[in-house]
Structure formats: C-alpha cells, structure tokens
Amino acid sequence: MTLNNSDTFKMFDAIVIGGGPAGATCAYKIAANGHSVLLLEKAKFPRFHIGESMVPYLYKLFEMIDISDKIKEGGFVQKNGVEFLTGTTGDLRRQNFGNVAKGQTPFSYNLNRARFDKILLDHAQDTGAQVLQEADVKKLIFDGERLAGVEYQYQGCRHEARANFVVDASGRAGLIAKHFNLRKMNNKLQNVAVFQHYKDVVAENNPGVEGDVLFSCHEDGWLWGIPIETNVMSVGAVMPLSILKQSNPEEIFKAHCDRSPRIKSAIKGATPLFNKPKVELDFCYYSEQFTGPGYFIVGDAACFVDPVFSGGVFLSMLCGLKAAEAIHEIFDGKDDLEACQDFENLCKTGYDSYFRVVYSYYYEFNRDMNKMGLNLPGGFRFVLQTFAGDFWAERDQPVLSYLRSKKEWDTFEQPFERIYDCPIYPDTHYKAADPASFTPPEDFLESINTQTQTETQKAAVL
C-alpha cells in the first residue's frame, strides 16, 4: 500500500510508534479487535536486543495474544528455573518454577530477542496491522491539545498519518514522554551492564540444569548467564558505573566473570560473538503519566527498571496489551477518562511493585538473592509468585504488602489507585488465607551441594 504524500494523510484508528514487544503486542491486539492500526518501526527486523531472560507469567500472556504456538515452533530454550549463587558465602540454591501455584505455567523461556521480536512483529502484521519498518517518526502532530498523528520518514519521503490514538512504544527514545517532559530519572538505580554472547557452548561444561539461568552475585555487582540457544549463551556483568570507570570494559568483564566460577565453566571453550564486550546503561527512569489526550505510553517508553528480575519484557507486553484494550473500550463507548485511568492504574501498580522488589534486592538484602528469598515475609511461595510476575497481588499478600509499606520506595509522585487483581492469573495463585501447611521454604529454594552437582542436575524436576 502506497501512503499519501505530505499534502494529504491517511487516517487510522491508532498509530503505534515502535515495533518492539510492547508496540507489536499493542498493534496485534488493536488489529485483532477489528481496528485499523499503523505501526512505525525505525529499525529493520531482525535486529539485536539485550534482555533475554523471561518470567513464567509471560507464557500465559503468549496464550492471551494467540502466539504461544509460534513460540513453541520457534524452538526457544525452555527455562525451568534459576540458580542463585551468593559469591560472598558460597550459598548455591535453585528456584524451581515447578513450585508455582497449581494451574500456573511452571516454566518460561530464554529468548533470542532478534528472533523473538521479529516473530512478534510478524504476528501483528499477520493479524492485520500495517507495519512499516525503517520508518522514522520525526514529528508529533496535534489538534489543539490532543495528539492527533505523526510525521515520519519512509523510503526517502516524508509522510503524515493521523489517528484517534497514538501509542508511544518507542523504547528509551520516549518520543511522547520527552515531548511533555514526563520522564524522570530514578537516582536509586544507576547501574551499567557489560555483556558478551558466546557461541559453540559445550553443554557438558554447564554445571547448572539445562535451560536454567545462572545468576551470581558478589560484593561489586552481579552476573547473568542465559542460554539463549542450545549452543549460545548470553553473559553479562552488572555493576555501578563508578566501577566500570576504574578500567576498560574488557578488563572489567573478565574480572567479574572470574568471580563466577559456574558461569566461567559454562562458557569454557566457547567463542565470543562480539569483537569486544558491549556496554549498556541500566539507568532506570519512569514517566509520571502513561496517558493523555489522544495518547498512551507503554513499555520502555514509559518505564525502565533494572533487569535483575527479568520482568521488563513481560510488563512491556502487558501494558501494550492493556493500552489496546483501553482503545477498544473507548471505541465501544466507555468514557475516555475512565478507560485511560484504569489503564494507568494497572500499569503504575505493576511498575511500582517491580521497582520495590528491585530495591529490596539491592538495598535490603545487599544483592543476596538467596537471603532475600528465604527472609521476605510469608515464605518463599509468595516470593516465587512475585518473582514469577504477580505485581498486582492482593492487599494481604505478605511479600508485596511488606514492600508496599515502605513509603520511601514509592515510585510515582502523582497519586494513583493501586490495583489488587492480577491480570494474568486472577484466580490461580497462592493466597495469604491458604492453609499454613505449605511445603517448607527449602523445597521452594533448593540448596545445591556443588560437590554433587552432577547428581543434582540429573535428578532435577524439569
């Protein structure tokens, strides 16, 4: 389809800026609901992106957007758990996703983002979204105070498109948030990641359970080891920027990997894919508003949270989905302000809860994931449920009730109505009123004896 030149414009029900997980999910749902939608993506897919470890609740979201079969066909690495090594004490434990509440999906995936993001974008297009790649949004168009469209560069020409709603899923570019000066930096979380991908990984060298993420912390930061293909592993070292400035990225990366013997073992003999380690700023930020006249802000365009708990893609996709549902409700007659407020309350609840979990890890438990898992109120069943993606737990859920009590960890200055109803598993989850005869915490955070790791790996429940 040829778009109109700059003298005229094409009208859509919605325009989505950005084709990452949030934007593609939003465009899919808008199209699935029978509305016209134009998605403008600046890059050409597939393209590299970091952020490969996913939480278990994401799989249910895959089912909600009718993409789970495509994910299975994609042959992505199934993630059945995470191992946590506390370097300062040598305490090694495994979080088994098989211990989530009955009725929940007991696994997740590690995703090669180049492949996954393209599958998701193609899914939106297959459903009816008009997708333009290498289309760069240059200007926001207003009708009075209402955002009414965009100007964008595509195939060497300038084009204009207008819509009832514009959804900003432009990631860190944050076109709408920056235009309205809504973005605020989070000074509590300012880390940097140095990472490398390794190919030709030898399975026998990995001391962990197949598919598990290897997580290791030490006094200066933490590391990830994520198998993103059967023979490819993503390895990253996260630290304060001040530490990175003490040396060059190559030396810092090697030094931090040397502090994690299990990750070092997993990549023994493997070949680095990048000429040198890449650096990614993990500086966190948030937007005070997620909606306004004619617009919604979703995904990293709205908030970016430290990646330690792997919930970023899940929250991005969920907010993209909920923005699409809000748009459909408005077209169906729901009051604009009510639909927008419901959307913003749900998203803010999710991100505020997620920030609190991250603060607890860094500031309350000093980057000791095992200590955190065993000592947060309520026992590890509620910790696992929170880690898995329930950031909307009921008022009396012990973990989030405790974290919400810390006023110094409030994310947003503007008040919002907290949502206590999980949009993924509204009825299937652990509850504070459940019997006290739950499996003891040790079975939820299994201690691993490194001397008998081979036997543990063979006996692990997958």
Side-chain angles (χ1 to χ4, degrees), residues 266-293:
I267 58 175
K268 181 180 179 181
T271 305
L273 278 171
F274 312 139
N275 291 331
K276 57 183 180 180
K278 295 180 180 289
V279 177
E280 183 89 7
L281 289 178
D282 285 342
F283 285 13
C284 298
Y285 55 81
Y286 61 95
S287 174
E288 275 294 344
Q289 292 178 217
F290 287 47
T291 66

Side-chain angles (χ1 to χ4, degrees), residues 21 47 49-52 54 111-117 313:
R47 54 91 177 95
H49 204 288
I50 200 66
E52 303 115 337
M54 304 295 142
L111 299 174
N112 179 324
R113 288 289 302 279
R115 292 203 297 119
F116 168 71
D117 288 11
V313 170

Side-chain angles (χ1 to χ4, degrees), residues 81-148:
V82 183
E83 70 163 49
F84 300 123
L85 174 62
T86 304
T88 53
T89 64
D91 186 23
L92 175 65
R93 295 175 182 270
R94 180 173 185 262
Q95 180 188 74
N96 184 352
F97 293 162
N99 288 317
V100 294
K102 185 178 180 181
Q104 295 188 8
T105 302
F107 63 86
S108 186
Y109 286 102
N110 300 318
L111 299 174
N112 179 324
R113 288 289 302 279
R115 292 203 297 119
F116 168 71
D117 288 11
K118 186 176 188 306
I119 289 173
L120 195 54
L121 186 63
D122 289 347
H123 185 58
Q125 186 168 25
D126 292 344
T127 307
Q130 182 176 338
V131 175
L132 297 182
Q133 299 184 49
E134 299 179 288
D136 188 9
V137 173
K138 297 295 187 180
K139 181 182 177 182
L140 302 176
I141 299 172
F142 290 86
D143 182 1
E145 295 184 353
R146 186 179 180 88
L147 184 55

